[in-house]
Amino acid sequence: MRLIPRSFLWRTILMVLIPLIIAQIIVANVFFGNHWTRVHGTMARTFAGEITSMMNLMDADQDTAATMMARDTGINVTTHDHLNRPKHNDNNSHEAGMLADELSRRLKRPANIYIDKGRRLLYVDVPTLDGKIATFGTSLYRIYSTSTEVFIIWLLGSILIVSVLIAPFIIMHTRSIRRIARAAGNFGRGLDAPGFVPTGSKEIREAATAMITMKERLNRYNRTRTDMLNAVSHDLKAPLTRMRLAVETGGATPDELLRDIDRMSEMVNGYLAFARGEMPEIEQTTELPAMLIRIARDAAPDKKIITEFPDVPAQFYARPMALARAFGNIIENAARFATKKIKITEIDTTDNVTVIIEDDGPGIPDDRKADAMRPFVRLDNARGNDTGGTGLGLSIAQTAIENHGGQMFLENSDMGGLRVRIILPI
């Protein structure tokens, strides 16, 4: 038999209700158990004292005084020669047990207690000295309080009320989780989930958003691999065909063949670098200005480098080699198309570091910026002719930036060319 339900809904309800029930049981037993004993003990002692006093008056032949006392205390006293009572009394009952003990200790004579639960009445029969039976009748509430039962009923009612109130909220959370599960199932089968929007609590929305982001990255990964295969097939086919024809006709010079081989090597190395992705690297405390200056000097020795860095640059944990490759691709791209100068700016805040890399080249039209971020896409018509490259630089840089939790944007520069804005979290 399975005691723990499988459903998140029922598990959550149990996690809320079981501690609540246990806490209320402890309160009922510890506090109200002692309360019940004290209250009922006091009521039993008071009523037993009243009966004892009246019996003492009756034993002293002061029946009038006993009758007045009974009237003043709300007790009905009658005397009988014989009573037809049930065979068994209620001296050991839950309601009258304390009263029976008090009467036995005070009266020094047998006393029989009878309870009429239907009318909630109490009768106490005590033998007198002249052989008769004195009956003391009163309300059962004179010795027994129902406050404990009422409290227990309210405890059970509060549990029911809490269950009714929390059930809709738990159902809403469960529904959000089920929607995420269905969407994940569709994503796993390569399908879309139309209308899927993150809902529910903050944590559930974050999980749903992370899943959507993961799906988008997987889709981009699959598109990238397809584009890579197409690019390899397309880019290598032309130089191979040209080399074959040159060899067969004997019209190629060694320099021309070597130029084609170098071009093919460049493309293959670019494809391999993109396919390998980032190698595992330990995060280290990183400052960007020195890295950016070194990369700019190596990539653009013939261009004017303008830098604007903070006096005390921010330090943050990052994978320096991965960032160096990313910034290297961006700055090399700027150096390839810049006319005279490149500008590198760093802006630090408490939450992130923003790096802006600009050039004074031809720039990229707004309708082609999205294509420029795709791998194996070359915008030579927009940026210039005979620039070479495999169309992987910006894509590799974007992947490295996103792996650091950052973002990369392509914008128009005031210098006339392209501005690449990178935001990295601290």
Side-chain angles (χ1 to χ4, degrees):
M1 180 179 178
R2 188 177 184 84
L3 298 178
I4 301 177
R6 294 180 179 272
S7 170
F8 172 79
L9 172 63
W10 287 108
R11 287 192 176 195
T12 306
I13 291 176
L14 289 181
M15 283 192 295
V16 174
L17 293 185
I18 289 179
L20 178 62
I21 293 172
I22 293 175
Q24 293 190 348
I25 289 175
I26 293 174
V27 170
N29 279 277
V30 174
F31 179 77
F32 279 91
N34 296 334
H35 169 78
W36 188 91
T37 301
R38 290 195 301 270
V39 170
H40 288 184
T42 301
M43 297 171 72
R45 287 192 296 272
T46 301
F47 188 54
E50 293 170 344
I51 292 177
T52 302
S53 299
M54 286 185 283
M55 286 301 301
N56 291 335
L57 292 174
M58 294 173 67
D59 291 344
D61 294 328
Q62 298 181 20
D63 294 345
T64 301
T67 302
M68 292 178 62
M69 181 179 178
R71 185 179 66 246
D72 293 339
T73 56
I75 301 173
N76 182 30
V77 181
T78 57
T79 304
H80 306 275
D81 294 330
H82 177 74
L83 288 173
N84 185 19
R85 295 295 192 188
K87 183 177 180 181
H88 299 288
N89 58 35
D90 295 313
N91 287 28
N92 297 323
S93 66
H94 179 66
E95 296 89 345
M98 290 187 178
L99 177 61
D101 294 339
E102 287 293 328
L103 290 174
S104 176
R105 186 173 61 83
R106 292 169 181 261
L107 289 176
K108 307 301 182 182
R109 69 186 77 181
N112 296 315
I113 302 173
Y114 300 94
I115 297 175
D116 185 349
K117 293 185 178 181
R119 294 186 295 174
R120 309 297 290 177
L121 296 176
L122 173 73
Y123 302 98
V124 180
D125 295 339
V126 181
T128 63
L129 295 179
D130 56 2
K132 295 182 179 182
I133 300 174
T135 300
F136 301 86
T138 188
S139 171
L140 177 61
Y141 298 116
R142 190 71 176 268
I143 66 164
Y144 185 78
S145 173
T146 59
S147 61
T148 302
E149 285 95 344
V150 172
F151 175 75
I152 292 175
I153 292 173
W154 275 107
L155 287 182
L156 297 177
S158 65
I159 294 174
L160 179 61
I161 292 173
V162 170
S163 302
V164 172
L165 292 178
I166 67 172
F169 297 98
I170 298 176
I171 291 173
M172 291 172 56
H173 285 286
T174 305
R175 188 176 301 160
S176 300
I177 294 174
R178 287 177 177 172
R179 293 180 69 249
I180 293 177
R182 288 195 295 269
N186 290 336
F187 295 160
R189 294 193 297 271
L191 304 175
D192 290 328
F196 175 70
V197 178
T199 59
S201 65
K202 176 184 177 183
E203 292 77 10
I204 294 177
R205 291 197 304 271
E206 289 177 350
T209 303
M211 186 184 67
I212 293 174
T213 303
M214 178 185 68
K215 175 183 178 295
E216 293 174 350
R217 296 188 68 177
L218 288 175
N219 288 342
R220 189 176 69 184
Y221 176 86
N222 291 331
R223 289 195 302 268
T224 298
R225 292 303 180 264
T226 302
D227 292 343
M228 184 177 70
L229 292 175
N230 293 333
V232 170
S233 175
H234 177 270
D235 291 346
L236 295 184
K237 185 181 296 183
L240 285 174
T241 302
R242 186 167 57 249
M243 293 172 65
R244 181 181 182 86
L245 290 174
V247 171
E248 290 179 350
T249 59
T253 64
D255 292 339
E256 292 175 342
L257 292 176
L258 289 174
R259 190 161 48 249
D260 285 336
I261 292 173
D262 291 339
R263 174 61 181 156
M264 292 174 61
S265 298
E266 179 185 356
M267 289 188 293
V268 170
N269 291 333
Y271 298 146
L272 291 177
F274 182 79
R276 284 195 300 265
E278 289 193 22
M279 298 298 290
E281 185 181 356
I282 299 176
E283 290 190 347
Q284 303 176 20
T285 302
T286 304
E287 286 186 3
L288 295 180
M291 175 193 300
L292 295 173
I293 292 174
R294 174 178 53 80
I295 295 174
R297 288 174 178 173
D298 293 341
D302 57 339
K303 302 292 180 9
K304 181 181 180 180
I305 308 298
I306 304 172
T307 59
E308 292 184 5
F309 298 137
D311 295 334
V312 181
Q315 293 185 347
F316 60 99
Y317 282 97
R319 296 182 290 277
M321 292 181 62
L323 281 184
R325 284 194 295 271
F327 286 120
N329 288 341
I330 297 171
I331 294 174
E332 287 173 3
N333 189 73
R336 183 179 299 120
F337 298 103
T339 303
K340 294 181 179 180
K341 56 186 177 180
I342 298 172
K343 183 178 180 181
I344 304 175
T345 306
E346 178 180 338
I347 303 172
D348 296 341
T349 65
T350 57
D351 297 326
N352 53 59
V353 173
T354 300
V355 177
I356 300 174
I357 301 172
E358 306 174 82
D359 64 67
D360 60 350
I364 296 177
D366 291 337
D367 59 347
R368 300 299 306 277
K369 285 185 172 65
D371 292 336
M373 302 286 280
R374 293 179 54 195
F376 309 107
V377 175
R378 292 189 292 271
L379 307 180
D380 292 342
N381 292 333
R383 300 277 279 176
N385 297 320
D386 300 326
T387 56
T390 59
L392 290 172
L394 292 180
S395 179
I396 293 175
Q398 182 187 27
T399 300
I401 297 300
E402 289 181 349
N403 288 341
H404 281 81
Q407 295 176 292
M408 189 172 82
F409 305 95
L410 301 185
E411 302 168 345
N412 295 324
S413 171
D414 295 337
M415 298 168 59
L418 179 68
R419 176 168 63 186
V420 181
R421 181 164 57 93
I422 299 102
I423 301 176
L424 293 169
I426 295 180

